[in-house]
Amino acid sequence: MKIGEIYKLQIVGTGVNGEGIAKWDKYVCFIPGALDGDTVLAKTVKIKKNIVFMRLDEVITPSPYRIAPPCKYFGECGGCTLLNTTYSKQISIKRDKVYQTIKRIGNIDVTPENVVECDKKYNYRNKALIPVAKSENGEIVAGFFKGKSHEVLDISDCMIQDKYAFEVVKIIKDWMKKFNIEPYFPGKTGVVRHIFFRRGVYTNEVMAGVVTSADELPYKNELVNMLKGLDNLKSVIHNINKSHTSVLMGDKTEILYGNEFIEDIILDKRFRIGPLSFYQVNPAQVQKLYGTAIELIEPGKDDVVFDIYCGVGTIGLCMADKVKKVYGIEIVPEAIEYAKENAKLNNINNAEFFVGKAEEKINNFINMENKPNVVVLDPPRAGCDRHLLDAVNEMQPEKVCYVSCDVATLARDLNILCNEYNYNVKKVVPVDMFAHSSHVETIAFLVKE
């Protein structure tokens, strides 16, 4: 194969990021936009040993799983890579991804349960951080990044975002134009980095605002007045992020109007959520996610649960009325304050929450008289710190329930827990939290041998 040449290929599989896979001689070819069953023409972009990265040039014979994508931005926007694929095939791709990844990285051969399907497949995301930029002709644009690019694609609607989100986008773009407020340009000029949106789907409460590179926000009262036209607006925020990194939000948030939080409901429990709080982006599906996790754990009245990476306390508080005690730990101070408030809000008296790095604080729980016998892990995409897994093993819990948004880091951590520390994977349940994307949430339930 040579770079720049076009080849006719039969797509025989799907990669972990939703790209089509073809084979040509000794090469494995990855082609974004191609589907299992397609016959395509594709151009070689990069060759690395026996792996070839290609660009889809033409679909000669379409796959039986190929459908017309219902979004006009598909192919240009970097999100929703499976929007041109039947939902049944999406589910099949995700289940196979979980199986293959855990087998390859985790060295564990376990057949996942059927994927817990998403009932609401469109407009399900309750949070958005939408980048703002200037186009080449000087227009303010807001939307999402183009595929494998830092160029912002101007978007007026989105198939998976909450409908309210782009009402907020329109208002804030109008505010920026009216008062000549510039988008931030890395390392140079401008003010507004992102437009912030969050909604409680079961309460309809809306939080909106901007993330900027400046301590002072010009014309902030005018921004509040323009946003007040939104139904159910409960909070307007100004988050300050002066970093020159890919971190989306800073540590300091100014409340311009209303409450410091909005509320939402999971499994009949009410939760307060701040602008920096982690909260699952698909509230309808999170009912199934947490319900499945609790069902696997089978909590009993004598169980002591340690909810690590607890966020605002969602998983632990949802099972608190079934167990003796819940402890939660989280590195974000704001989240722990909300976890404590959420316990009071739901009249839960058997839950305690602590701020800190789990891998450092866990030692305080290892030698306690009623140490936890159930551990829940719900880490960020990077997975668990090795020192934390060592400490979990030292604690010797009977049950571990690991909830992951990245099956690769889940597989890495399962390799340690199972192949080094003699835990046994009893069940793996994929949950489709992110319909039309290649991402999948996964629950792994382990018991001590």
Side-chain angles (χ1 to χ4, degrees):
M1 276 191 163
K2 294 181 180 179
I3 291 177
E5 291 191 349
I6 294 176
Y7 296 83
K8 182 179 178 181
L9 298 165
Q10 177 69 38
I11 307 302
V12 295
T14 308
V16 295
N17 295 312
E19 66 273 71
I21 296 176
K23 294 182 180 179
W24 193 88
D25 194 17
K26 64 179 181 179
Y27 297 103
V28 178
C29 308
F30 292 88
I31 311 166
L35 297 181
D36 184 12
D38 279 342
T39 302
V40 304
L41 294 177
K43 181 182 286 188
T44 308
V45 175
K46 183 179 179 182
I47 299 174
K48 189 175 180 181
K49 293 185 179 179
N50 295 334
I51 296 174
V52 182
F53 299 94
M54 308 184 80
R55 185 176 70 241
L56 181 63
D57 192 67
E58 181 185 346
V59 177
I60 300 171
T61 305
S63 163
Y65 311 114
R66 181 177 285 277
I67 60 173
C71 176
K72 62 183 178 182
Y73 303 108
F74 180 80
E76 195 174 7
C77 175
C80 298
T81 53
L82 297 179
L83 197 58
N84 64 342
T85 315
T86 61
Y87 187 69
S88 60
K89 182 60 176 177
Q90 291 184 33
I91 293 303
S92 173
I93 289 169
K94 293 180 183 188
R95 187 168 185 251
D96 187 60
K97 173 180 177 175
V98 170
Y99 173 70
Q100 297 293 347
T101 306
I102 292 177
K103 184 177 181 180
R104 177 173 50 87
I105 298 175
N107 197 27
I108 301 166
D109 193 347
V110 56
T111 302
E113 303 295 306
N114 290 333
V115 177
V116 178
E117 297 187 11
C118 189
D119 290 333
K120 186 177 182 181
K121 299 175 180 64
Y122 297 102
N123 304 116
Y124 57 80
R125 290 185 64 95
N126 68 341
K127 181 184 177 184
L129 271 166
I130 298 169
V132 184
K134 256 193 176 181
S135 66
E136 290 182 358
N137 61 6
E139 291 292 317
I140 293 173
V141 295
F144 301 113
F145 293 116
K146 295 182 179 181
K148 296 184 179 180
S149 165
H150 286 95
E151 183 182 352
V152 177
L153 177 66
D154 199 34
I155 288 176
S156 59
D157 195 10
C158 175
M159 299 294 297
I160 64 169
Q161 285 290 349
D162 191 298
K163 289 288 187 184
Y164 278 85
F166 282 87
E167 291 183 35
V168 172
V169 170
K170 184 180 184 306
I171 291 169
I172 292 178
K173 283 175 71 176
D174 289 344
W175 167 74
M176 291 177 69
K177 292 172 185 175
K178 184 174 181 179
F179 297 103
N180 295 316
I181 296 169
E182 293 287 308
Y184 170 76
F185 187 84
K188 293 187 179 179
T189 59
V191 176
V192 178
R193 299 174 72 128
H194 288 85
I195 294 169
F196 178 93
F197 165 82
R198 177 169 249 168
R199 184 168 81 94
V201 171
Y202 292 96
T203 60
N204 277 325
E205 296 182 358
V206 173
M207 177 182 285
V210 289
V211 180
T212 77
S213 59
D215 288 310
E216 293 297 323
L217 183 65
Y219 300 100
K220 57 187 178 184
N221 292 332
E222 288 79 0
L223 173 62
V224 169
N225 288 333
M226 290 176 74
L227 286 170
K228 279 183 178 179
L230 289 167
D231 291 339
N232 302 306
L233 181 73
K234 296 295 180 182
S235 176
V236 178
I237 67 149
H238 167 217
N239 179 265
I240 300 155
N241 179 9
K242 294 183 175 182
S243 71
H244 298 297
T245 68
S246 59
V247 174
L248 299 183
M249 295 185 72
D251 295 330
K252 184 179 177 182
T253 302
E254 177 187 11
I255 306 301
L256 303 181
Y257 166 80
N259 298 334
E260 297 179 356
F261 58 84
I262 58 171
E263 295 186 357
D264 206 7
I265 298 167
I266 302 175
L267 298 178
D268 299 323
K269 300 289 193 299
R270 199 170 186 93
F271 292 95
R272 288 180 177 173
I273 313 150
L276 299 179
S277 304
F278 171 78
Y279 188 74
Q280 294 281 358
V281 298
N282 187 338
Q285 195 69 349
V286 80
Q287 314 282 338
K288 293 184 179 181
L289 178 73
Y290 290 171
T292 300
I294 293 169
E295 185 179 310
L296 291 170
I297 292 169
E298 294 183 330
K301 59 183 178 62
D302 295 323
D303 285 334
V304 178
V305 177
F306 193 11
D307 184 4
I308 301 175
Y309 307 102
C310 68
V312 296
T314 46
I315 299 180
L317 293 176
C318 280
M319 70 173 90
D321 54 0
K322 300 176 175 63
V323 301
K324 183 177 181 180
K325 185 78 176 181
V326 170
Y327 296 104
I329 191 163
E330 170 64 58
I331 196 170
V332 180
E334 180 202 82
I336 289 298
E337 289 306 309
Y338 281 116
K340 292 175 180 178
E341 286 188 30
N342 290 331
K344 293 177 184 176
L345 192 63
N346 292 285
N347 298 313
I348 293 170
N349 301 311
N350 64 335
E352 292 183 53
F353 296 95
F354 305 88
V355 177
K357 290 184 177 180
E359 59 269 22
E360 294 174 0
K361 297 285 186 179
I362 193 172
N363 293 316
N364 299 336
F365 296 86
I366 290 173
N367 297 316
M368 60 193 303
E369 185 177 349
N370 290 313
K371 69 179 182 181
N373 66 315
V374 177
V375 166
V376 176
L377 299 167
D378 189 4
R381 296 190 68 82
C384 295
D385 184 278
R386 173 63 196 244
H387 297 299
L388 173 64
L389 296 178
D390 293 342
V392 167
N393 177 60
E394 191 175 345
M395 185 183 285
Q396 295 284 296
E398 299 162 15
K399 305 173 185 178
V400 175
C401 186
Y402 193 136
V403 181
S404 172
C405 60
D406 188 318
V407 69
T409 54
L410 168 66
R412 178 201 68 199
D413 294 346
L414 291 182
N415 193 9
I416 296 168
L417 289 168
C418 297
N419 297 325
E420 294 186 32
Y421 294 144
N422 298 318
Y423 277 88
N424 181 31
V425 178
K426 299 297 285 185
K427 278 191 178 181
V428 171
V429 184
V431 181
D432 188 22
M433 297 287 288
F434 317 104
H436 312 303
S437 82
S438 59
H439 301 297
V440 59
E441 196 89 3
T442 309
I443 306 170
F445 179 64
L446 300 85
V447 297
K448 190 68 176 175
E449 287 281 6

